[in-house]
Amino acid sequence: MKSKSQKSKKHEALRIVVVAPDLDVQDTGDDHAVSQAERSRALRIGLLESGFNLIATLPADVFLADRISQLQPDLIIVDAESEARDALEHVVFATRDERRPIVLFTDDNDTTHVRDAVAVGVSAYIVDGLSSTRIRPILDVAMARFEYEERLRDERDDARNALQERTVVDRAKALLMERQGLSEKEAFTKLRKIAMDKGLKMAEVAQRTLDMADLLS
């Protein structure tokens, strides 16, 4: 997850990596390859014209995760067709431990893949949206959506951790009440005092109490 300082960057300063096919078309008679290269080139030009910081263009291969880890981009753009879903899979794998907003540009009008793409972490799924005038608002919306979802994720994780900590403390209190004949208030006070004396969280003291009881049982 990105730090607050990174999230608060002006979007013009975003460090962007584009994952796309090679622009070098070997067979100039291959209209499909030429068209794909033109789309990819238009995307990169549009990013630069809009003032974004395009730091690299990478192929979707087995080395992608390492390259993304080294470059530490703020946002990843995948320029892919429906036949190149492996590109998206590589990107999702590369960002599984450190989430980043992902924007998928495609010229494929088949939207049946949208739900799957969003489910794996794509912040924006854009069909035929490579005009330079559309790039900035698309990326702004993608960043806003990603940051909103990260806040929800953080809130969910905080709530889950708080519940787990309360459960551990309650179990430790019940153990002290049973084995030492303490009231609930006395058990809580004892755990809190140990936590204060040792500079630990209540949940840590409670977990250690439970662990010790398991060892001695």
Side-chain angles (χ1 to χ4, degrees), residues 4-76:
K4 290 183 179 179
S5 62
Q6 288 173 307
K7 287 183 179 180
S8 61
K9 281 183 177 182
K10 290 184 178 179
H11 289 184
E12 303 86 58
L14 289 176
R15 291 164 50 81
I16 296 177
V17 161
V18 172
V19 178
D22 193 340
L23 288 178
D24 185 16
V25 179
Q26 300 297 324
D27 182 4
T28 57
D30 186 343
D31 294 339
H32 181 75
V34 170
S35 174
Q36 177 69 8
E38 290 176 350
R39 286 185 62 256
S40 190
R41 185 178 293 107
L43 170 60
R44 299 174 213 189
I45 292 173
L47 288 168
L48 296 174
E49 289 179 343
S50 297
F52 289 102
N53 183 12
L54 176 57
I55 60 174
T57 300
L58 305 175
D61 57 23
V62 295
F63 304 108
L64 183 61
D66 291 336
R67 289 170 178 149
I68 288 177
S69 178
Q70 292 170 357
L71 293 169
Q72 290 294 303
D74 299 301
L75 182 144
I76 299 173

Side-chain angles (χ1 to χ4, degrees), residues 52-53 55 63 72 75 89-90 95 98 114 116 146 199 213:
F52 289 102
N53 183 12
I55 60 174
F63 304 108
Q72 290 294 303
L75 182 144
E89 292 175 2
H90 279 296
T95 58
E98 190 171 2
V114 174
D116 292 337
F146 175 79

